[in-house]
Amino acid sequence: MSAERTESRYVTVEPDVQIHFWDAGEKDAPALVFIPGLTFSGKVFKHQLEHFSKSYRVILVDPRGQGLSTKCPFGNDYQTHGRDLIRLVEHEGIEKPTLIGWSCGNLEAWSYLEQAGVDSVSGCVTVDMSPLPHNEDPKAWTEGTPAKLSEIMTRTLNHPETAAGFWDSYLREVMWQGPLADEQYEWFIDMSNQTPFWVTHELFGDAILSDYRAIAQEASEKIPTLMFIAEHWADVAEPYWHSLCPKTPTYVMGGHLMAIQYPDRFNRRLETFLTTGE
């Protein structure tokens, strides 16, 4: 990651719990706070830091249990992650940031809005995850059938070896479009391995049982919002999202890791949103 000013920093959000983040750009510029998905570090937004830190203050967060942040036997849930993020923003004296969540980072962004209020931010961008990941409606945008999610929770992510196999296949088959170079694969896996499997297990369980539809709808009505959706499930996800949040525009592109695989296109659409609110 390169910018004229990039700092690797920590903030203590409660006793013995530190949240790590990268901080780049001018400190008095409008702030963009990027939140990664399950097991990932804020480094997954390295291309966004390089691009947007020229005009904005850019914060890349390692959520609790991920990246360089503290690994805790408690607080591995998205209500706590939302509180951690609020404390980070308050500690840094940031007023009305724009939140950009990806995957389970969406849940953290919606949790932040639920607890701090939608008027506490300038806007909210969510990338490729439903606010209700577990839904029995076959027409809904979900992370999988109830039976499949149950199997992942109770028989896959409960052991380090089977959890590693799950992330290997998910990265190769869902997150990335086309062949993944060995060097890039190892970079992602090394990043993911910074999160202990037991933290992943707790966060996954909390994620699939979360329901942030109400706050997503409130945000859609009151502040600028945008949803990015991956191509592989756009035929279901886009109409579902439009029915839930008709005032939030959608943008379909790439796979789940669109921001790092296609950074120029992603950054152009995000730049339009930041400039116009649409």
Side-chain angles (χ1 to χ4, degrees):
M1 294 182 290
S2 63
E4 289 188 6
R5 182 193 70 86
T6 301
E7 301 175 8
S8 172
R9 301 177 54 206
Y10 291 85
V11 60
T12 299
V13 293
E14 60 181 85
D16 301 318
V17 180
Q18 290 189 311
I19 301 301
H20 175 262
F21 61 102
W22 281 272
D23 185 1
E26 297 296 329
K27 289 199 173 186
D28 59 354
L32 310 180
V33 179
F34 289 86
I35 313 153
L38 181 61
T39 79
F40 280 78
S41 159
K43 288 191 297 184
V44 77
F45 293 110
K46 62 180 182 178
H47 297 308
Q48 284 67 54
L49 181 145
E50 292 167 357
H51 178 83
F52 288 102
S53 60
K54 300 167 187 174
S55 304
Y56 298 88
R57 182 179 183 183
V58 175
I59 303 288
L60 309 185
V61 180
D62 285 352
R64 180 187 300 229
Q66 298 171 214
L68 298 178
S69 293
T70 304
K71 279 62 178 178
C72 298
F74 53 87
N76 298 311
D77 62 84
Y78 288 97
Q79 284 291 294
T80 300
H81 277 208
R83 286 194 293 275
D84 289 346
L85 193 60
I86 291 168
R87 288 166 182 160
L88 186 158
V89 168
E90 290 176 345
H91 180 271
E92 292 302 303
I94 297 171
E95 295 185 5
K96 297 181 78 70
T98 296
L99 305 182
I100 301 103
W102 165 63
S103 192
C104 286
N106 291 2
L107 308 180
E108 187 166 330
W110 287 317
S111 174
Y112 182 109
L113 298 182
E114 193 175 79
Q115 296 178 74
V118 296
D119 59 349
S120 67
V121 302
S122 295
C124 184
V125 178
T126 44
V127 182
D128 208 37
M129 189 170 185
S130 170
L132 184 68
H134 182 288
N135 193 331
E136 295 184 359
D137 182 353
K139 296 181 180 180
W141 178 19
T142 72
E143 290 299 306
T145 65
K148 183 62 176 177
L149 294 174
S150 175
E151 179 183 357
I152 293 170
M153 178 66 184
T154 61
R155 293 179 173 83
T156 302
L157 296 183
N158 59 340
H159 189 276
E161 290 185 7
T162 50
F166 171 80
W167 290 116
D168 174 86
S169 61
Y170 195 72
L171 175 58
R172 293 183 186 276
E173 298 171 13
V174 178
M175 288 191 169
W176 196 263
Q177 288 188 320
L180 185 59
D182 290 345
E183 182 179 356
Q184 186 76 295
Y185 172 84
E186 292 298 333
W187 188 78
F188 286 127
I189 291 298
D190 287 347
M191 188 191 310
S192 183
N193 285 343
Q194 290 183 294
T195 303
F197 83 94
W198 49 270
V199 171
T200 302
H201 185 256
E202 289 187 28
L203 285 169
F204 182 87
D206 187 76
I208 63 173
L209 295 177
S210 291
D211 183 354
Y212 286 103
R213 289 176 295 178
I215 193 64
Q217 289 175 317
E218 183 182 350
S220 179
E221 292 288 333
K222 295 181 178 179
I223 60 173
T225 53
L226 171 66
M227 173 64 84
F228 285 85
I229 295 173
E231 294 169 1
H232 67 266
W233 54 11
D235 59 335
V236 173
E238 197 168 27
Y240 174 83
W241 184 254
H242 287 160
S243 70
L244 185 71
C245 297
K247 292 187 178 181
T248 297
T250 55
Y251 188 71
V252 175
M253 64 167 289
H256 197 52
L257 275 165
M258 62 185 79
I260 197 166
Q261 187 171 12
Y262 306 108
D264 292 343
R265 185 178 172 193
F266 182 91
N267 292 347
R268 283 196 300 271
R269 182 62 184 91
L270 181 54
E271 190 77 67
T272 297
F273 171 82
L274 295 172
T275 303
T276 67
E278 298 178 353

